[in-house]
Amino acid sequence: METAPAKTLQKRQVIFLAILLFLWETGSEEIRYSMPEERESGSLVANLAKDLDLRVGELATRGARIHYKGNKQLLQLDITTGNLLLYEKLDREVLCRATDPCILHFQLLLENPVQIIQADLQLTDINDHSPEFLEREMLLKIPESVQTGTVFPLKIAQDFDIGSNTVQNYTISPNSHFHVVTHHRGDGRKYPELVLDKALDREKQPELSLTLTALDGGAPPRSGTTTVRIEVVDINDNAPEFLQSVYEVQIPENSPLNSLVVAVSARDLDAGTYGKVAYALFQGDEVTQPFVIDEITGEISLKRALDFEATRFYNVEIAATDGGGLSGKCTVAIEVVDVNDNAPELTMSRLISSVPENSPETVVAVFSVSDPDSGENGKMVSTIQNDLPFLLKPTFKNFYSLVTERSLDREERAGYNITITVTDMGTPRLKTEHNITVLVSDVNDNAPAFTQTSYTLWVRENNSPALHIGSVSATDTDAGANAQVTYSLLPPPDPLVPLASLVSINPDNGHLFALTSLDYEALRAFEFRVGATDRGSPALSSQALVRVLVADANDNAPFVLYPLQNASAPCTELVPRAAEPGYLVTKVVAVDGDAGQNAWLSYQLLKATEPGLFGVWAHNGEVRTARLLSERDAPKQRLVVLVKDNGEPPLSASVTLHVLLVDGFSQPYLPAPEAEAAAAAPADPLTVYLVVALASVSSLFLFSVLVFVAVRLCRRGGAASAGRCPVAEGHFPGHLVDVSGTGTLSQSYQYEERWRHRYPK
């Protein structure tokens, strides 16, 4: 059961803790808390949400987390309640050793927006350690001649607590010869001295054994004891004295082992054994002292490596003892000088591995830097490469944010390897490099682009349906779904064009197919537009023009326009027997529905009643006499003319001509045998009508030609003929029909009158 004073003291500690927890400056960038050490794991430190005027749910939405130096987790944050809790029991002596006050620094990191709040937790000491002497027994050799009031230094007790909880007083077991006096050191510690109250008499009592007790100032106080054994020796009336009571020395932390730190010196006025001095470390614990002293020379050397960041100062007490047991003491104050032996440290708090393009000033990473060195050795500069579109921005103390300087373009560069270099200002300069990789995620900012603005495709007519006639291709410089292209046919501007029945397109690869068999004679060319659309959001698209040209195939045989082959009566050509070689008998006129060389027509005489009498010009179909006519030539000639195109394979048609040889216009028309047979047969009324109409048109046409010739002759005769129109004597005029190179009729028929023979009256 606790006593009333103990309970009152405990209440005071709770009130003091509450005051430290809640009296922090409003609006400050730092929050400071305080609590005693050795609290159990899970103990409440503070409610950060309440202290920062944040809603409880805001900590979770802003990704609040605790950041502190080191790898060991000491605190934990409950983001649902805002409570800051102990992760484990904290021992002030383990965390801070002799450092007072013991302050743990940590940061609260918030995102959206990024905010860093510095916080400190001060651990207050509790009296959880008892004073402890390093040795169970102290041996003092005191000459019997020592005068009363002589002071003998005693070794101090160690107490890991600080402040009032450390050693406050020393007592010794009751006796008649000595008492203990407690003194203060400059560093705050207290040390005991044994004072002689009554002269010693070796013959009466050669040895004394006393109990030295060290008491701390805790409530309740703790204590530790050791035995002081005193040997009374023979007279030695001079104790060693050091030349300096305090030695001050500096030593670099990178000094090699066994290097000399300082040499101390003490002298004893006695002679012989009593005048020989032996040196020793007064606090001789090898665990705590990195030094060793030569007991003869007094040279202090280094036996263990120094670390400025761990311990910056050492107070070493040196004792000089003569052969009679008298001793003197001095203090060596050793200052460890910092050297730049620690490279900066970088701790990454937040890292985004992927950044969308077209997003300027995006926070990519948040990190902190630290250097345990001091002075210029602890000053740091953080840099990245100069050729990158990123910036380092200091945010809070040694925290930096890595942000994008401008909008990124994934099509220009898909990723960046960034090296963050942290360099201190010491000599030589040390640096730490941290490499991170930032990928640029794609945004649909590029429309598909066709390889050509227009495509021309050739298709031979009479193709099979679903024939692959060509392809269009478009590329998209984006990535993923933003680069997947879908092809489609765009509606034609003329709704009457049946595009959907002519072609189709594969939406995945852009292959074009003819859906129907094309006919060059019906459709020689057509064009349409295709679209390429990506799968981004929003989708982007582009267009290209496709022109389809139908190539002609030789699928049409020549068609004879003249002479007509479907007439009821064959057409008969009249040739005067007086015709000269080369006389134009008639002209076979034919056309071909194809184009190009498929429509180039050639003519040849296939059969004739008298071979060699007539010839056909191959290129224009003119039938002319090949020689002079004679009386032996049959008056009725039958010619078969073959018309052939130039296709592969060539197609042809034939026409039959009937030629009647006459002596002149006065000779009556002799019908062909086929005509006689037709006349003998009973006439069909429709045939009669057609024959009458054809005869009428022919007569009218012949009359017009005669009138035209007569007028021309009258104009040529002029006044020399005294107004008389010359009359043509000889053969009747012929006519000339021509066919163009493409197999179509010429623009007009040409007639000319030529005087071939003049007959005497």
Side-chain angles (χ1 to χ4, degrees):
M1 181 179 295
E2 296 182 353
T3 61
K7 292 183 177 179
T8 302
L9 181 59
Q10 185 176 6
K11 291 181 179 179
R12 290 178 180 175
Q13 290 178 345
V14 172
I15 294 173
F16 179 72
L17 174 61
I19 293 174
L20 290 178
L21 286 174
F22 296 105
L23 290 182
W24 55 286
E25 183 178 355
T26 304
S28 173
E29 294 183 354
E30 295 186 0
I31 305 174
R32 178 163 292 181
Y33 301 103
S34 177
M35 70 180 303
E37 63 174 336
E38 299 297 334
R39 286 289 183 89
E40 292 298 325
S41 174
S43 298
L44 175 65
V45 178
N47 189 287
L48 291 179
K50 181 178 179 181
D51 294 341
L52 298 176
D53 292 331
L54 298 175
R55 296 186 303 274
V56 175
E58 190 173 354
L59 291 176
T61 56
R62 295 184 64 182
R65 59 184 181 275
I66 297 298
H67 174 272
Y68 41 81
K69 181 180 178 182
N71 297 325
K72 190 173 182 181
Q73 184 176 357
L74 303 178
L75 302 173
Q76 61 182 358
L77 176 62
D78 188 351
I79 61 176
T80 60
T81 62
N83 290 334
L84 181 64
L85 307 174
L86 291 182
Y87 184 77
E88 64 180 12
K89 184 185 293 186
L90 302 182
D91 190 348
R92 189 203 66 79
E93 287 73 24
V94 174
L95 295 176
C96 298
R97 297 183 181 179
T99 303
D100 187 28
C102 178
I103 298 177
L104 302 180
H105 302 284
F106 64 95
Q107 296 82 31
L108 175 63
L109 305 183
L110 300 175
E111 299 180 359
N112 301 321
V114 175
Q115 184 179 2
I116 303 174
I117 301 172
Q118 176 69 39
D120 299 332
L121 174 60
Q122 179 177 352
L123 292 179
T124 59
D125 185 54
I126 64 173
N127 192 24
D128 57 343
H129 293 86
S130 298
E132 182 179 1
F133 290 91
L134 298 179
E135 298 177 359
R136 293 184 178 182
E137 183 181 89
M138 298 183 194
L139 176 62
L140 294 179
K141 294 181 180 181
I142 302 176
E144 60 180 349
S145 60
V146 172
Q147 300 295 322
T148 58
T150 303
V151 176
F152 302 93
L154 300 175
K155 296 181 180 181
I156 67 173
Q158 290 186 348
D159 193 336
F160 292 107
D161 295 323
I162 61 173
S164 62
N165 293 326
T166 190
V167 177
Q168 300 294 322
N169 191 27
Y170 291 90
T171 63
I172 200 164
S173 58
N175 65 92
S176 60
H177 291 278
F178 299 94
H179 74 274
V180 170
V181 179
T182 303
H183 294 283
H184 293 270
R185 280 185 178 177
D187 58 359
R189 293 188 294 175
K190 297 177 175 60
Y191 65 94
E193 288 183 342
L194 190 64
V195 181
L196 181 62
D197 295 330
K198 182 181 177 181
L200 300 174
D201 188 352
R202 181 178 175 276
E203 288 71 22
K204 291 183 179 180
Q205 191 176 4
E207 184 175 312
L208 290 82
S209 181
L210 305 176
T211 300
L212 179 64
T213 303
L215 299 172
D216 62 20
R222 293 174 176 263
S223 63
T225 62
T226 186
T227 300
V228 179
R229 188 165 61 88
I230 301 172
E231 292 182 2
V232 182
V233 297
D234 202 8
I235 294 175
N236 180 23
D237 54 352
N238 288 287
E241 292 183 2
F242 283 92
L243 299 180
Q244 298 176 224
S245 61
V246 177
Y247 291 82
E248 294 181 353
V249 65
Q250 292 182 337
I251 179 172
E253 64 173 326
N254 61 346
S255 298
L257 299 180
N258 301 319
S259 60
L260 178 64
V261 178
V262 68
V264 297
S265 177
R267 63 182 178 177
D268 194 318
L269 298 178
D270 293 326
T273 305
Y274 297 129
K276 292 183 179 180
V277 178
Y279 300 95
L281 297 178
F282 197 64
Q283 295 291 121
D285 187 7
E286 295 182 354
V287 177
T288 59
Q289 296 292 347
F291 306 102
V292 65
I293 188 170
D294 189 299
E295 64 177 5
I296 298 175
T297 63
E299 293 181 348
I300 301 175
S301 57
L302 187 64
K303 70 173 182 178
R304 193 168 63 246
L306 301 176
D307 188 359
F308 171 83
E309 289 72 34
T311 306
R312 301 186 180 187
F313 299 95
Y314 291 94
N315 287 318
V316 181
E317 294 183 348
I318 307 298
T321 306
D322 60 17
L326 296 181
S327 63
K329 186 180 68 171
C330 74
T331 300
V332 180
I334 301 174
E335 180 184 358
V336 181
V337 180
D338 182 40
V339 295
N340 194 26
D341 59 344
N342 291 281
E345 298 176 359
L346 185 148
T347 303
M348 189 64 62
S349 302
R350 179 173 181 261
L351 177 62
I352 299 176
S353 60
S354 179
V355 177
E357 62 178 334
N358 303 330
S359 299
E361 297 185 1
T362 301
V363 178
V364 177
V366 177
F367 63 92
S368 62
V369 295
S370 61
D371 194 322
D373 294 323
S374 63
E376 292 295 322
N377 298 332
K379 294 181 179 179
M380 296 162 290
V381 176
S382 300
T383 59
I384 60 174
Q385 302 99 305
N386 294 327
D387 57 345
L388 298 179
F390 295 89
L391 291 176
L392 281 180
K393 291 185 177 181
T395 56
F396 176 80
K397 288 189 177 179
N398 289 332
F399 277 84
Y400 293 86
S401 295
L402 178 65
V403 300
T404 56
E405 182 181 11
R406 54 177 171 80
S407 297
L408 304 180
D409 188 358
R410 190 205 63 81
E411 289 72 36
E412 178 182 345
R413 189 168 179 178
Y416 296 87
N417 292 321
I418 304 174
T419 301
I420 303 175
T421 304
V422 185
T423 307
D424 62 24
M425 305 303 294
T427 302
R429 294 190 175 186
L430 302 179
K431 67 179 181 179
T432 296
E433 294 183 348
H434 187 86
N435 297 317
I436 62 175
T437 299
V438 178
L439 302 179
V440 182
S441 60
D442 187 50
V443 174
N444 192 27
D445 56 349
N446 291 281
F450 280 94
T451 56
Q452 301 173 217
T453 56
S454 63
Y455 296 82
T456 301
L457 306 179
W458 286 89
V459 183
R460 182 171 294 276
E461 65 172 331
N462 303 323
N463 59 283
S464 59
L467 176 68
H468 177 226
I469 61 175
S471 301
V472 296
S473 178
T475 58
D476 196 316
T477 55
D478 292 322
N482 297 331
Q484 296 179 4
V485 179
T486 301
Y487 300 91
S488 62
L489 297 177
L490 299 181
D494 185 2
L496 299 179
V497 176
L499 182 62
S501 63
L502 293 177
V503 293
S504 67
I505 189 170
N506 188 315
D508 297 325
N509 53 28
H511 291 347
L512 291 167
F513 300 91
L515 297 179
T516 60
S517 179
L518 301 178
D519 186 2
Y520 172 83
E521 288 72 33
L523 181 64
R524 298 192 175 187
F526 63 94
E527 62 184 26
F528 55 91
R529 305 192 75 84
V530 294
T533 306
D534 59 27
R535 298 185 182 179
S537 179
L540 302 178
S541 62
S542 60
Q543 301 180 9
L545 179 66
V546 178
R547 182 178 294 106
V548 178
L549 302 178
V550 182
D552 183 45
N554 192 27
D555 58 346
N556 290 281
F559 178 76
V560 179
L561 297 177
Y562 182 84
L564 296 176
Q565 297 299 298
N566 57 353
S568 58
C571 180
T572 302
E573 301 292 339
L574 301 180
V575 177
R577 289 184 178 273
E580 296 180 353
Y583 178 82
L584 178 63
V585 177
T586 185
K587 183 174 183 178
V588 178
V589 180
V591 294
D592 195 312
D594 295 321
Q597 67 178 11
N598 295 329
W600 296 350
L601 302 181
S602 60
Y603 304 84
Q604 68 181 76
L605 185 61
L606 195 61
K607 293 181 180 180
T609 303
E610 294 186 13
L613 179 58
F614 297 97
V616 178
W617 286 24
H619 298 295
N620 57 15
E622 291 181 352
V623 180
R624 296 178 180 270
T625 57
R627 58 176 175 81
L628 290 174
L629 302 178
S630 65
E631 294 297 334
R632 294 189 302 272
D633 295 329
K636 297 178 182 179
Q637 299 287 330
R638 183 175 179 272
L639 307 178
V640 178
V641 178
L642 178 68
V643 183
K644 183 173 62 175
D645 61 24
N646 198 35
E648 284 293 336
L651 301 178
S652 62
S654 62
V655 60
T656 302
L657 300 177
H658 296 277
V659 179
L660 182 62
L661 304 182
V662 297
D663 292 330
F665 288 111
S666 60
Q667 184 173 351
Y669 168 71
L670 296 178
E674 293 83 353
E676 293 177 355
D684 181 72
L686 181 58
T687 303
V688 173
Y689 295 152
L690 291 176
V691 171
V692 172
L694 181 60
S696 301
V697 172
S698 300
S699 301
L700 182 59
F701 175 72
L702 183 60
F703 177 74
S704 299
V705 171
L706 292 177
V707 171
F708 176 75
V709 172
V711 172
R712 292 289 299 274
L713 292 177
C714 289
R715 289 180 180 178
R716 289 181 181 179
S721 302
R724 296 174 59 191
C725 292
V727 178
E729 296 181 0
H731 306 315
F732 65 93
H735 63 276
L736 184 63
V737 181
D738 194 8
V739 179
S740 66
T742 59
T744 59
L745 285 173
S746 61
Q747 296 180 358
S748 62
Y749 288 100
Q750 300 179 2
Y751 300 90
E752 66 176 73
E753 179 71 23
R754 295 181 298 179
W755 294 95
R756 301 183 181 273
H757 300 279
R758 183 177 298 273
Y759 299 94
K761 295 182 178 178

